[in-house]
Amino acid sequence: MGYKLLISKAVEAKSNALPTYSNFFVGAALLTMDSKIYTGCNIESSSYSLTMCAERIAIFKAISEGERKFKALAVAGDTEGFTSPCGACRQVISDLCGEIDIVLVNNKNETKVMKTSELLPFAFSDKDLR
Ligand code: THU
């Protein structure tokens, strides 16, 4: 399936998470079109709503380094169920990554691949602003 390295980077990034309040560890790894990988983990704040998800950290890191074209995003959770991106992350993935493969990884290293439009059908986008 070709995403072995990306998956291992997401799992590795999970160990850097700072889930001080939820104790829910998440790691993410974003693959660019030219095969670079940017990772992220969730980081929580004592002002809870300032918490940032692993996915958005990986995406914002990549964008801030000048990356614009992406192929896939792996999201590794620490539970037997698949950790699926939250609504806010779905919007950001749709806006900044487009139609990519989203590889969900559970704590047994099992995977489920979905597309952006499956996670966020009928999305709001920049086109609506014109
Ligand atoms: N979280 C993520 O980082 N990504 C997800 O896809 C789901 C939720 C984080 C946010 C918060 O730190 C913790 O998981 C519990 O919601």
Side-chain angles (χ1 to χ4, degrees), residues 85-103:
C86 78
C89 286
R90 289 176 196 210
Q91 183 66 44
V92 169
I93 294 166
S94 174
D95 283 331
L96 302 181
C97 303
E99 184 74 336
I100 58 169
D101 284 339
I102 299 168
V103 186

Side-chain angles (χ1 to χ4, degrees), residues 19 22 24 26 41-44 51-55 75 83-86 89:
S22 71
F24 192 83
V26 186
C41 60
N42 57 323
I43 303 174
E44 298 186 351
T51 288
M52 184 54 63
C53 293
E55 295 91 321
V75 183
T83 296
S84 189
C86 78
C89 286

